[in-house]
Amino acid sequence: MSSPEAVDDARAFAELDALLSEGLGAFAEARDSAAVEAARVEFLGMKQGRIKHAQERLKTLEPSARRGYGQKFNSVKKSLEEACEEARNRIGRSKPDRAVRSVDLTLPGNRERRLGHTHPLTQTADELIDLFGRLGFEVARGPEVEDVRHNFEALNIPPAHPARDPRDNFYLSESSMLRSQTSTVQIRVMEKRKPPIRVVAIGRVYRPDVVDATHSFMFHQIEGLMVDKGVTMADLKTVLRLFAASYLGTDVQIRFRPSFFPFTEPSVEVDMLWHGGDRWVEMGGAGMVDPNVFEAVGYDPEVYTGFAFGLGVERLCMRRHAIDDIRLLYQNDVRFLEQF
Ligand code: PHE
């Protein structure tokens, strides 16, 4: 029968075995540096670590067992230190590996960025400017907040004229308003310059219309003005026909109807045949500049003649792209806008 001391010594040796196998296991399983450090503290820590405990155990052993125990202790300690070192290296090394693994290489590569583009109305405006530019028209501009003189008076629209009704205009005061037409720019150009003149002006105009598929309280017009000696109605019709053929296509018919505007005489309305060919839609108004307008800006109507036109930009854009509801142009629905 073994002595109690011998039993105790055997337990000490077994504890060393357990310390070794559990320690190796902990270092092998550690997946990050925090886990390695935790294992190091638990097994190799010189304050509370199990190795420290095992070392102190030496003193309690029978002298005969001490030498063997000491050798075994040293080799266990060495193995654990190596395992700790190895675990540290493994985690340090594998860091970049893990970063690479977090990129999913099976995903489709080279995803294209979605590029934006100009709004269809802007595209239309750019094209119109380009087209009229080729016909010799330069670009003019005028303010959206206008005075009554440029919006009405100089355009031969006297104070009592129904077009000046407050219910049909956005007045800001007695004398200023949001312009209801781009014809204001005709006046601004002629006030500043002498003929010959060939300009187009594109911009917003405002009228208190109820919004529906074909109306809006704000829309865009392109105004044209040509003044020189000997300009005739034939020039007007030629320019508008050339323009319509280039912008809408040679298959799109347009027609001129007699009409009335205070600032042109004679006046016409210009229609285009809509898709399907079953209805005419108004493109805008036009005519020969009224002598009263020339007088308002100091031109001699006996020397100069000219034509002017004002076309709806939305209508042109809609006819061109077969859009049937003007509201689509203002809603900024990407599913719609993407198509242009
Ligand atoms: N300004 C007119 C309108 O808004 C259109 C027009 C412009 C008519 C130029 C004749 C000449 O209805």
Side-chain angles (χ1 to χ4, degrees), residues 180-183 186 207 221 223-224 261 263-264 284-287 308-310:
S180 65
Q181 50 185 357
T182 45
S183 300
Q186 290 183 38
R207 299 174 190 181
Q221 285 187 324
E223 192 82 9
F261 296 100
F263 37 94
T264 48
F309 58 83

Side-chain angles (χ1 to χ4, degrees), residues 322-336:
I323 299 164
D324 278 320
D325 194 325
I326 195 172
R327 290 168 290 197
L328 289 166
L329 292 170
Y330 309 125
Q331 285 163 344
N332 285 336
D333 185 331
V334 176
R335 292 168 300 177
F336 169 76

